[in-house]
Amino acid sequence: MTAPDVAIFLALKGLVPVGASFACYPETFPEPPRVPVWPAIRYQEVSIDPTQDVCGTDDGSTDDTFMQIEYAAKTKGAAKLLRAQGRAALMAVTDPPCLRGNGSTDYDPVTDTYRAIDDYTFHPSSGS
């Protein structure tokens, strides 16, 4: 797991408890025959932007990482509420990520769920 993956999981896992496990998934929601439990959160790395300076690019420890977080629920209101809770949780972490834009919403007819989607940039080089 990358540093942003760990930060996202630790910040958001408590928002969607499911028994002894959590409905906070990297990359994709469970596929059949496993059935995801809603509400759920999915996060994925979209891209990495290497830090450049006069010495070239570094070893990756200061690269900016672009992440997408998708909050899924059975109603649009529940998905948007979960996103608001997720935004608050992420702003409370050390070196919080930067929200890119206002987010978006969508409906997935296959799972009959609503999605609230945010894009973030993690800037580890700005940490103290």
Side-chain angles (χ1 to χ4, degrees):
M1 286 184 120
T2 65
D5 287 327
V6 172
I8 290 170
F9 181 77
L10 292 176
L12 303 182
K13 70 179 183 173
L15 299 179
V16 284
V18 178
S21 61
F22 299 97
C24 189
Y25 306 102
E27 305 303 327
T28 186
F29 292 114
E31 298 291 327
R34 289 181 55 209
V35 179
V37 177
W38 310 110
I41 299 171
R42 178 189 65 84
Y43 56 94
Q44 70 177 355
E45 182 180 287
V46 175
S47 67
I48 295 174
D49 187 16
T51 301
Q52 301 174 13
D53 62 24
V54 294
C55 299
T57 54
D58 71 354
D59 64 0
S61 63
T62 59
D63 292 350
D64 293 336
T65 305
F66 302 102
M67 302 290 291
Q68 184 174 79
I69 302 174
E70 187 172 335
Y71 304 91
K74 284 298 190 178
T75 68
K76 187 174 184 177
K80 291 174 83 173
L81 176 61
L82 186 58
R83 174 174 58 189
Q85 294 169 335
R87 285 179 176 180
L90 286 168
M91 291 304 103
V93 302
T94 303
D95 301 326
C98 296
L99 182 62
R100 301 174 62 183
N102 292 322
S104 62
T105 58
D106 196 9
Y107 174 74
D108 181 4
V110 174
T111 59
D112 188 29
T113 56
Y114 291 84
R115 311 295 173 97
I117 304 160
D118 277 342
D119 296 313
Y120 286 92
T121 303
F122 284 77
H123 298 283
S125 59
S126 65
S128 49

